[in-house]
Amino acid sequence: MPSDPFPSESAAATAGTPEVTHVPNHQTAALIVAAGKGLRAGGGLAKQWRPLAGRRVIDWTLDAFRKVGIDQIALVLSPQDTEIWQEFAAQDDILLTRGGATRSQSVANGLELLAHHDVDRVLIHDAARPCVSGRVIHDVLSALDTSLAAAPALAVTDALWRGADGYVTGTQDRAGLCAAQTPQGFRLAEIRAAHQQLAANSMDAADDVEVARAAGIDVAIIPGDPDNMKITRPEDFDRAARILGGDMDVRLGNGYDVHRFGPGDEVVLCGVPLAHDRGLQGHSDADVGLHAITDALYGALAEGDIGRHFPPSDPQWKGAASDIFLRHAADLTRSKGYQISNVDCTLVCEFPKITPHAPAMRAVVAEILSIDISRVSIKATTSERLGFTGRGEGIAAIATACVVKP
């Protein structure tokens, strides 16, 4: 076997079985194997049903194929997963079949199901590979234009050892060796026949490439992706979450509020009372800083402003402490699956002086939002004695909030 398992650009054009020609008007389905127990990954639940970056592993896997336009998916489930069966039975692009005692039997069941539909190519994929990219899926499909079978793989670059009882017992030449990945793509008729032959011989196989090769089918290798990992151990979930973070939902919101000065002997700014010769007027405690931050969070969620959630016409909010509003915005953020990444608030006024009190304000806001103080910025500026703030008629606040859904 050559040291480089991947063909050159010119060789790739002729790789595979020579007599195979392009299949016009092909119909492709994905076959997702999700019938296993997968308990080595921990959590007391099969790994395909465990949460990952705000969703289940299986949800990421299915969406990877939907995003590239695969609109027919055969899902192989355990017969014991009755509630999950009902869930997916309601999805128009999902076909369901029962898993077998082995992976090969599960795949064979899926292939038999697809044989009764208008499908001539199939991508067989492990449910526990949620990070598969559109590039890998597309490259496998493209390879099927000139080959009966194609699969992604990574060339082995690390030194390989044999071991026993915790000690190295030997080495293995890595030349030509590949680490297999999925999806593994096939012409449906050929891989179905190969699985039937495997079953007739009462044999099993590690993957579908082994099944194909046992039936004499050449399998083209396309470059895999290091991120296309298979979740196997508990620590794999953290790595997969970092990879999938590239698709995280990041939202920004801004808030702006103004309150005029009136009678009083203190103002409350970002939750901190400050002695002053006047107070701020408003329906609540007129904390202009907290109001701006609250509106920034509502804005990031497209949930309107404070007035929508706490109408000034409602007497129960007369004189209310503004931390009530901000806590509501924070709770709403989390209920929608978002985390508060950071907030930044600028108070615009000639007086009182804000800078000496900014650390206390940051601490209060951080406590209300249940985030680290390093994620809270409170600062101040003047308007160079221009406008209503420059004339000392009131205080304005501008705030920005960033929320993230992993």
Side-chain angles (χ1 to χ4, degrees):
M1 183 178 290
S3 59
D4 183 1
F6 299 102
S8 65
E9 185 174 347
S10 59
T14 58
T17 307
E19 68 271 16
V20 174
T21 57
H22 176 70
V23 178
N25 302 319
H26 55 74
Q27 296 294 324
T28 303
L31 197 169
I32 310 298
V33 185
K37 298 299 182 184
L39 297 180
R40 278 187 299 167
L45 186 68
K47 56 192 174 185
Q48 61 268 30
W49 312 122
R50 285 187 55 186
L52 171 65
R55 310 172 70 191
R56 296 173 304 183
V57 171
I58 190 71
D59 298 322
W60 290 105
T61 303
L62 293 173
D63 274 4
F65 289 88
R66 287 166 170 158
K67 285 180 178 179
V68 298
I70 304 295
D71 56 8
Q72 185 117 283
I73 299 174
L75 187 58
V76 184
L77 298 177
S78 167
Q80 284 74 43
D81 292 331
T82 53
E83 291 186 5
I84 293 172
W85 191 287
Q86 293 172 357
E87 173 193 346
F88 287 107
Q91 299 185 22
D92 293 339
D93 61 343
I94 298 289
L95 302 170
L96 295 175
T97 191
R98 297 174 182 270
T102 65
R103 183 187 187 277
S104 296
Q105 291 173 5
S106 293
V107 171
N109 291 349
L111 295 173
E112 290 302 314
L113 173 66
L114 290 174
H116 299 286
H117 293 78
D118 186 19
V119 172
D120 57 46
R121 304 198 304 182
V122 60
L123 301 176
I124 304 173
H125 188 68
D126 299 321
R129 289 188 187 268
C131 304
V132 61
S133 68
R135 192 275 298 171
V136 168
I137 296 172
H138 177 270
D139 286 355
V140 173
L141 285 174
S142 295
L144 290 180
D145 288 344
T146 53
S147 302
L148 288 176
L154 295 174
V156 174
T157 58
D158 294 325
L160 295 176
W161 302 333
R162 294 189 187 93
D165 301 322
Y167 290 89
V168 176
T169 60
T171 60
Q172 173 67 50
D173 183 7
R174 64 176 179 259
L177 293 182
C178 300
Q181 296 185 335
T182 65
Q184 296 174 358
F186 306 91
R187 302 291 176 86
L188 178 60
E190 282 75 7
I191 192 60
R192 181 187 176 209
H195 268 277
Q196 290 171 341
Q197 179 179 323
L198 186 81
N201 294 329
S202 300
M203 297 176 63
D204 195 18
D207 67 0
D208 301 288
V209 166
E210 183 178 351
V211 177
R213 295 192 69 252
I217 300 173
D218 290 335
V219 181
I221 302 175
I222 66 108
D225 184 344
D227 287 345
N228 185 18
M229 57 174 291
K230 184 177 182 180
I231 294 177
T232 304
R233 301 174 297 273
E235 58 268 27
D236 293 337
F237 282 89
D238 288 338
R239 181 186 169 199
R242 289 193 296 270
I243 294 170
L244 294 169
D247 292 328
M248 67 176 58
D249 185 1
V250 180
R251 294 189 175 196
L252 298 177
N254 63 73
Y256 177 75
D257 197 37
V258 172
H259 284 285
R260 70 175 70 230
F261 282 121
D265 57 8
E266 74 171 16
V267 295
V268 180
L269 296 174
C270 293
V272 177
L274 304 179
H276 193 53
D277 58 4
R278 285 183 289 174
L280 289 173
Q281 294 182 325
H283 186 66
S284 62
D285 64 2
D287 188 332
V288 65
L290 292 192
H291 292 180
I293 297 172
T294 301
D295 274 352
L297 286 173
Y298 286 145
L301 302 174
E303 285 285 346
D305 58 15
I306 292 178
R308 172 177 166 182
H309 300 275
F310 302 94
S313 57
D314 190 336
Q316 69 173 311
W317 308 121
K318 178 67 174 176
S322 294
D323 66 292
I324 296 173
F325 311 146
L326 187 54
R327 290 183 197 278
H328 177 269
D331 290 343
L332 184 62
T333 300
R334 284 184 280 269
S335 73
K336 289 179 172 287
Y338 291 90
Q339 301 170 359
I340 300 172
S341 177
N342 69 292
V343 297
D344 179 25
C345 179
T346 301
L347 298 166
V348 185
C349 60
E350 299 295 329
F351 46 79
K353 296 299 182 182
I354 303 300
T355 301
H357 306 284
M361 295 177 182
R362 293 177 64 210
V364 169
V365 172
E367 186 277 327
I368 295 172
L369 297 178
S370 297
I371 61 177
D372 191 82
I373 194 171
S374 65
R375 296 181 179 275
V376 178
S377 169
I378 306 292
K379 56 190 186 295
T381 187
T382 70
S383 54
E384 300 294 337
R385 299 192 177 278
L386 298 174
F388 73 92
T389 58
R391 295 190 297 269
E393 296 172 2
I395 297 179
I398 305 168
T400 300
C402 176
V403 301
V404 178
K405 180 183 291 186

